[in-house]
Amino acid sequence: MTSSGKQVGGREYLAIPGPSVMPDAVLQAMHRAAPNIYAGEIVDIAASLVPDLRRVARTEGHVAMYIGNGHAAWEAALANTVAEGDTVLVPATGRFAHGWAEMAQGLGATPQIMDHGKREPWDLEQIADALRADSAHRIKAVLAVHVDTSTSVRNDVAALRAVLDDVGHPALLMADCIASLGCDRFEMDGWGVDVMVAGCQKGLMVPPGMCFVFFNDKADAVRRAMPRVSRYWDWAPRANPDEFFMYWNGTAPTHHLYGLRTALDMIHAEGMETIWTRHERLARAIWVACHAWGAEGPLELNVAEPAHRSCAVTALRLEAPQATALRDWTEARLGLTLGIGLGMAPPGDPAWHGFFRLGHMGHVNGQMIMGLLGGIEAGLTALGVPHGRDALGAAAAEIAKV
Ligand SMILES: *Cc1c(COP(=O)(O)O)cnc(C)c1O
């Protein structure tokens, strides 16, 4: 029994959808004395990150780095493209699109929100109608969350590009890949995305603290036409710094740069295609296990159609209050922390305790996923929650398909 009352030996496992599991090599790279920020290694490392970040995003475009979390990336992208009084179209599947819309509202823009619920992807027909109705082209940007982390819905960003092109609407296509980058396939240039935002603490495997805005020349032209851009968020000097401090508008996030350098080395040594395949295989193992449990009990995947599910995060439903009981049990007994349900029911509502999520982004492999699933099965058994058989066998069969 530890001082916190937990009955655990061995390693703990944080299986929530961000922050994700950090590789030891990343932590070790960060464990050092502060470097000189005026010359030497850290200056070279910062410059070396840019092409490697572009390769992760699959873009030849620009990248601005910021000290900040995902919310900072949201604000940064908007501050460069959306002026007070502008309209943004926000198709929403779950919680995160609403968060980005609130950010736009805070900057004086008007979000036009299309709510597509919590279990299905965007309704592209409805989006096409909204764009067609905007013949005056008042919509400046479409804020598109690729993977909604609250519902685990994955949206089809390439199809949204096709809708914009079909309608002939000039709005910027801005994608939130904070959950999906480095987990679910994403092709910024191939899919015609103008602006993309990401954080470092999910698929990129680095502690929270850095975020990125990728943008193309079309988006940069929009920025240059802005009445003003706030100094700190301005992406221009960050993407094209004359001096080292201009990357960050101040002191560099020194230790994050070491960590990110190592994480990008690991990512490119494995290769983007291999990383996407690994995430897909591990996600499939989770899905088949959940399907087997749900065959004889209340557990249910939030997203019915596999093509609409993210490979980075899985949202699950269990009768309230069993989801909370399960999370409490695995954390206290196994040192395994599962994610809370987010945005599915208001906090304080008893229904809130009927949802949970699994993060499987970044530094994860087959034995970790088997441990995660085994922990859940142990919890369901201990709590007397009815569940179907052979979930673990089905998951192992998926993982064996390597
Ligand atoms: C995590 C996440 C965010 C918010 O990131 P923070 O670092 O918590 O600010 C935004 N969008 C998506 C899709 C996310 O997964």
Side-chain angles (χ1 to χ4, degrees):
M1 186 80 92
T2 64
S3 56
S4 59
K6 290 179 178 174
Q7 295 183 10
V8 289
R11 284 203 168 192
E12 297 190 351
Y13 180 3
L14 185 70
I16 69 173
S20 62
V21 175
M22 294 171 286
D24 288 345
V26 168
L27 294 173
Q28 283 154 10
M30 299 178 77
H31 191 93
R32 62 172 73 214
N36 182 2
I37 56 165
Y38 298 104
E41 183 184 51
I42 200 75
V43 177
D44 299 335
I45 286 180
S48 78
L49 298 174
V50 170
D52 288 341
L53 284 167
R54 282 201 197 109
R55 284 165 70 200
V56 176
R58 310 279 261 201
T59 182
E60 301 287 316
H62 316 279
V63 57
M65 299 185 272
Y66 297 83
I67 294 178
N69 58 18
H71 284 69
W74 277 345
E75 180 134 339
L78 294 167
N80 281 278
T81 52
V82 176
E84 212 168 333
D86 285 345
T87 298
V88 290
L89 184 67
V90 190
T93 55
R95 180 65 214 127
F96 284 84
H98 291 280
W100 204 359
E102 284 157 15
M103 220 75 179
Q105 201 157 22
L107 292 169
T110 305
Q112 184 181 330
I113 297 174
M114 314 191 70
D115 199 317
H116 305 288
K118 300 180 200 306
R119 306 191 74 170
E120 299 286 338
W122 300 324
D123 180 337
L124 293 168
E125 284 298 314
Q126 225 181 312
I127 296 173
D129 288 345
L131 290 168
R132 240 177 254 120
D134 180 37
S135 50
H137 293 169
R138 262 196 293 272
I139 296 169
K140 185 98 171 274
V142 181
L143 309 186
V145 176
H146 181 212
V147 164
D148 175 73
T149 320
S150 64
T151 56
S152 67
V153 168
R154 182 178 64 198
N155 286 299
D156 190 341
V157 174
L160 180 53
R161 169 83 269 163
V163 167
L164 280 157
D165 290 348
D166 283 353
V167 173
H169 199 293
L172 292 176
L173 175 54
M174 314 228 292
D176 170 348
C177 293
I178 298 171
S180 55
L181 193 70
C183 305
D184 283 283
R185 175 180 292 278
F186 176 78
E187 310 264 5
M188 178 161 173
D189 292 354
W191 295 357
V193 173
D194 299 306
V195 176
M196 187 270 276
V197 299
C200 70
Q201 79 274 26
K202 296 184 184 178
L204 298 185
M205 312 182 292
V206 174
M210 279 185 81
C211 63
F212 314 98
V213 179
F214 298 84
F215 57 97
N216 63 14
D217 289 339
K218 177 182 169 187
D220 201 34
V222 170
R223 180 213 157 275
R224 277 188 259 108
M226 286 278 283
R228 65 177 179 84
V229 176
S230 70
R231 200 87 183 130
Y232 186 78
W233 296 119
D234 192 354
W235 66 35
R238 291 171 184 263
N240 274 304
D242 294 326
E243 297 193 58
F244 181 62
F245 79 92
M246 294 169 79
Y247 276 116
W248 327 102
N249 210 328
T251 305
T254 48
H255 289 66
H256 274 75
L257 302 187
Y258 287 108
L260 183 59
R261 181 62 270 161
T262 298
L264 290 169
D265 287 343
M266 292 175 71
I267 286 169
H268 291 307
E270 185 177 0
M272 294 308 300
E273 292 288 344
T274 314
I275 286 175
W276 291 328
T277 306
R278 169 167 57 84
H279 279 86
E280 188 174 344
R281 182 182 316 125
L282 298 177
R284 283 187 188 286
I286 291 170
W287 302 340
V288 295
C290 294
H291 204 258
W293 285 323
E296 292 170 53
L299 189 133
E300 190 192 350
L301 285 153
N302 185 54
V303 182
E305 167 58 47
H308 301 157
R309 292 181 195 146
S310 166
C311 296
V313 51
T314 299
L316 293 156
R317 301 169 160 248
L318 197 57
E319 274 164 14
Q322 297 291 16
T324 296
L326 178 69
R327 283 192 304 99
D328 289 347
W329 192 90
T330 62
E331 185 164 52
R333 299 303 186 95
L334 308 179
L336 169 63
T337 303
L338 310 177
I340 60 167
L342 199 64
M344 304 301 270
D349 184 332
W352 189 91
H353 299 284
F355 303 93
F356 70 110
R357 292 174 303 155
L358 311 177
H360 34 102
M361 40 181 56
H363 192 54
V364 281
N365 60 29
Q367 59 93 3
M368 293 163 74
I369 297 301
M370 287 309 296
L372 168 64
L373 296 171
I376 294 170
E377 175 137 331
L380 294 172
T381 303
L383 296 168
V385 178
H387 57 278
R389 293 171 163 274
D390 204 30
L392 300 181
E398 276 304 317
I399 285 172
K401 288 180 189 168
V402 178

mmCIF file of all heavy atoms in Angstrom, residues 8-14 21-24 27-28 334-337 363 367-368:
data_model
loop_
_atom_site.group_PDB
_atom_site.id
_atom_site.type_symbol
_atom_site.label_atom_id
_atom_site.label_comp_id
_atom_site.label_asym_id
_atom_site.label_seq_id
_atom_site.Cartn_x
_atom_site.Cartn_y
_atom_site.Cartn_z
ATOM 1 N N VAL A 8 -0.259 -0.969 -5.490
ATOM 2 C CA VAL A 8 0.404 -1.264 -6.753
ATOM 3 C C VAL A 8 1.906 -1.330 -6.587
ATOM 4 O O VAL A 8 2.506 -0.515 -5.907
ATOM 5 C CB VAL A 8 0.080 -0.209 -7.842
ATOM 6 C CG1 VAL A 8 -1.341 -0.350 -8.298
ATOM 7 C CG2 VAL A 8 0.345 1.198 -7.361
ATOM 8 N N GLY A 9 2.504 -2.334 -7.223
ATOM 9 C CA GLY A 9 3.939 -2.330 -7.454
ATOM 10 C C GLY A 9 4.093 -2.200 -8.951
ATOM 11 O O GLY A 9 3.117 -2.181 -9.669
ATOM 12 N N GLY A 10 5.297 -2.118 -9.437
ATOM 13 C CA GLY A 10 5.511 -2.043 -10.884
ATOM 14 C C GLY A 10 5.184 -0.679 -11.447
ATOM 15 O O GLY A 10 4.872 0.256 -10.719
ATOM 16 N N ARG A 11 5.255 -0.572 -12.744
ATOM 17 C CA ARG A 11 5.039 0.707 -13.406
ATOM 18 C C ARG A 11 3.574 1.080 -13.463
ATOM 19 O O ARG A 11 2.723 0.224 -13.665
ATOM 20 C CB ARG A 11 5.536 0.631 -14.848
ATOM 21 C CG ARG A 11 7.008 0.689 -14.948
ATOM 22 C CD ARG A 11 7.429 1.179 -16.314
ATOM 23 N NE ARG A 11 8.856 1.490 -16.257
ATOM 24 C CZ ARG A 11 9.507 2.141 -17.182
ATOM 25 N NH1 ARG A 11 8.889 2.552 -18.260
ATOM 26 N NH2 ARG A 11 10.777 2.388 -17.036
ATOM 27 N N GLU A 12 3.300 2.353 -13.326
ATOM 28 C CA GLU A 12 1.935 2.833 -13.539
ATOM 29 C C GLU A 12 1.750 3.100 -15.030
ATOM 30 O O GLU A 12 2.725 3.279 -15.764
ATOM 31 C CB GLU A 12 1.698 4.095 -12.712
ATOM 32 C CG GLU A 12 1.835 3.765 -11.223
ATOM 33 C CD GLU A 12 1.388 4.873 -10.303
ATOM 34 O OE1 GLU A 12 1.114 5.986 -10.791
ATOM 35 O OE2 GLU A 12 1.304 4.613 -9.097
ATOM 36 N N TYR A 13 0.508 3.124 -15.456
ATOM 37 C CA TYR A 13 0.217 3.291 -16.884
ATOM 38 C C TYR A 13 -0.929 4.300 -17.000
ATOM 39 O O TYR A 13 -2.051 4.031 -16.588
ATOM 40 C CB TYR A 13 -0.142 1.925 -17.472
ATOM 41 C CG TYR A 13 -0.483 1.880 -18.950
ATOM 42 C CD1 TYR A 13 -0.419 3.008 -19.771
ATOM 43 C CD2 TYR A 13 -0.861 0.683 -19.547
ATOM 44 C CE1 TYR A 13 -0.723 2.936 -21.114
ATOM 45 C CE2 TYR A 13 -1.171 0.597 -20.890
ATOM 46 C CZ TYR A 13 -1.110 1.729 -21.664
ATOM 47 O OH TYR A 13 -1.436 1.651 -22.998
ATOM 48 N N LEU A 14 -0.595 5.445 -17.572
ATOM 49 C CA LEU A 14 -1.589 6.490 -17.799
ATOM 50 C C LEU A 14 -2.153 6.286 -19.206
ATOM 51 O O LEU A 14 -1.506 6.638 -20.191
ATOM 52 C CB LEU A 14 -0.929 7.868 -17.671
ATOM 53 C CG LEU A 14 -1.850 9.081 -17.770
ATOM 54 C CD1 LEU A 14 -2.756 9.200 -16.553
ATOM 55 C CD2 LEU A 14 -1.038 10.365 -17.940
ATOM 56 N N VAL A 21 1.881 8.495 -23.024
ATOM 57 C CA VAL A 21 3.062 7.851 -22.424
ATOM 58 C C VAL A 21 4.319 8.439 -23.060
ATOM 59 O O VAL A 21 4.412 8.533 -24.281
ATOM 60 C CB VAL A 21 3.008 6.331 -22.664
ATOM 61 C CG1 VAL A 21 4.285 5.658 -22.165
ATOM 62 C CG2 VAL A 21 1.776 5.731 -21.996
ATOM 63 N N MET A 22 5.263 8.843 -22.233
ATOM 64 C CA MET A 22 6.506 9.424 -22.762
ATOM 65 C C MET A 22 7.600 8.367 -22.822
ATOM 66 O O MET A 22 7.828 7.662 -21.840
ATOM 67 C CB MET A 22 6.963 10.568 -21.869
ATOM 68 C CG MET A 22 6.004 11.740 -21.887
ATOM 69 S SD MET A 22 6.417 12.968 -20.651
ATOM 70 C CE MET A 22 5.884 12.172 -19.152
ATOM 71 N N PRO A 23 8.288 8.248 -23.942
ATOM 72 C CA PRO A 23 9.397 7.292 -24.020
ATOM 73 C C PRO A 23 10.504 7.666 -23.034
ATOM 74 O O PRO A 23 10.777 8.853 -22.817
ATOM 75 C CB PRO A 23 9.910 7.451 -25.461
ATOM 76 C CG PRO A 23 8.801 8.122 -26.199
ATOM 77 C CD PRO A 23 8.062 8.955 -25.199
ATOM 78 N N ASP A 24 11.169 6.662 -22.461
ATOM 79 C CA ASP A 24 12.296 6.937 -21.564
ATOM 80 C C ASP A 24 13.353 7.784 -22.280
ATOM 81 O O ASP A 24 13.970 8.659 -21.683
ATOM 82 C CB ASP A 24 12.922 5.624 -21.083
ATOM 83 C CG ASP A 24 12.014 4.901 -20.093
ATOM 84 O OD1 ASP A 24 11.068 5.529 -19.585
ATOM 85 O OD2 ASP A 24 12.254 3.705 -19.842
ATOM 86 N N LEU A 27 12.480 11.397 -22.034
ATOM 87 C CA LEU A 27 12.707 11.926 -20.678
ATOM 88 C C LEU A 27 14.199 12.081 -20.409
ATOM 89 O O LEU A 27 14.638 13.092 -19.836
ATOM 90 C CB LEU A 27 12.082 10.986 -19.645
ATOM 91 C CG LEU A 27 10.557 10.895 -19.703
ATOM 92 C CD1 LEU A 27 10.040 9.815 -18.770
ATOM 93 C CD2 LEU A 27 9.933 12.243 -19.349
ATOM 94 N N GLN A 28 14.981 11.111 -20.839
ATOM 95 C CA GLN A 28 16.430 11.179 -20.603
ATOM 96 C C GLN A 28 17.053 12.341 -21.372
ATOM 97 O O GLN A 28 17.962 13.008 -20.874
ATOM 98 C CB GLN A 28 17.088 9.848 -20.989
ATOM 99 C CG GLN A 28 16.864 8.783 -19.918
ATOM 100 C CD GLN A 28 16.903 7.361 -20.460
ATOM 101 O OE1 GLN A 28 17.281 7.128 -21.599
ATOM 102 N NE2 GLN A 28 16.516 6.423 -19.619
ATOM 103 N N LEU A 334 -4.462 -1.446 -9.909
ATOM 104 C CA LEU A 334 -3.493 -1.835 -10.942
ATOM 105 C C LEU A 334 -2.523 -0.724 -11.317
ATOM 106 O O LEU A 334 -1.605 -0.952 -12.101
ATOM 107 C CB LEU A 334 -4.236 -2.290 -12.211
ATOM 108 C CG LEU A 334 -5.313 -3.366 -12.044
ATOM 109 C CD1 LEU A 334 -5.946 -3.668 -13.386
ATOM 110 C CD2 LEU A 334 -4.724 -4.632 -11.436
ATOM 111 N N GLY A 335 -2.761 0.483 -10.834
ATOM 112 C CA GLY A 335 -1.921 1.592 -11.298
ATOM 113 C C GLY A 335 -2.205 1.930 -12.753
ATOM 114 O O GLY A 335 -1.364 2.491 -13.452
ATOM 115 N N LEU A 336 -3.402 1.583 -13.219
ATOM 116 C CA LEU A 336 -3.806 1.812 -14.614
ATOM 117 C C LEU A 336 -4.875 2.901 -14.625
ATOM 118 O O LEU A 336 -5.983 2.694 -14.117
ATOM 119 C CB LEU A 336 -4.372 0.507 -15.201
ATOM 120 C CG LEU A 336 -5.095 0.595 -16.549
ATOM 121 C CD1 LEU A 336 -4.146 1.055 -17.657
ATOM 122 C CD2 LEU A 336 -5.718 -0.758 -16.902
ATOM 123 N N THR A 337 -4.540 4.063 -15.178
ATOM 124 C CA THR A 337 -5.476 5.182 -15.185
ATOM 125 C C THR A 337 -6.177 5.269 -16.531
ATOM 126 O O THR A 337 -5.524 5.467 -17.561
ATOM 127 C CB THR A 337 -4.737 6.503 -14.890
ATOM 128 O OG1 THR A 337 -4.069 6.366 -13.637
ATOM 129 C CG2 THR A 337 -5.699 7.678 -14.823
ATOM 130 N N HIS A 363 3.448 6.414 -27.888
ATOM 131 C CA HIS A 363 4.413 5.385 -27.480
ATOM 132 C C HIS A 363 3.689 4.180 -26.883
ATOM 133 O O HIS A 363 3.729 3.943 -25.676
ATOM 134 C CB HIS A 363 5.362 6.021 -26.456
ATOM 135 C CG HIS A 363 6.573 5.204 -26.154
ATOM 136 N ND1 HIS A 363 7.432 4.745 -27.123
ATOM 137 C CD2 HIS A 363 7.081 4.761 -24.983
ATOM 138 C CE1 HIS A 363 8.414 4.071 -26.554
ATOM 139 N NE2 HIS A 363 8.220 4.054 -25.256
ATOM 140 N N GLN A 367 2.022 -5.241 -26.162
ATOM 141 C CA GLN A 367 1.943 -5.739 -24.779
ATOM 142 C C GLN A 367 1.286 -4.711 -23.862
ATOM 143 O O GLN A 367 0.580 -5.077 -22.908
ATOM 144 C CB GLN A 367 3.317 -6.192 -24.268
ATOM 145 C CG GLN A 367 4.404 -5.135 -24.256
ATOM 146 C CD GLN A 367 4.524 -4.409 -22.932
ATOM 147 O OE1 GLN A 367 3.823 -4.741 -21.996
ATOM 148 N NE2 GLN A 367 5.399 -3.424 -22.872
ATOM 149 N N MET A 368 1.473 -3.425 -24.150
ATOM 150 C CA MET A 368 0.801 -2.399 -23.335
ATOM 151 C C MET A 368 -0.715 -2.466 -23.542
ATOM 152 O O MET A 368 -1.497 -2.348 -22.586
ATOM 153 C CB MET A 368 1.325 -1.010 -23.692
ATOM 154 C CG MET A 368 2.780 -0.800 -23.309
ATOM 155 S SD MET A 368 3.504 0.622 -24.155
ATOM 156 C CE MET A 368 2.744 1.973 -23.261
#
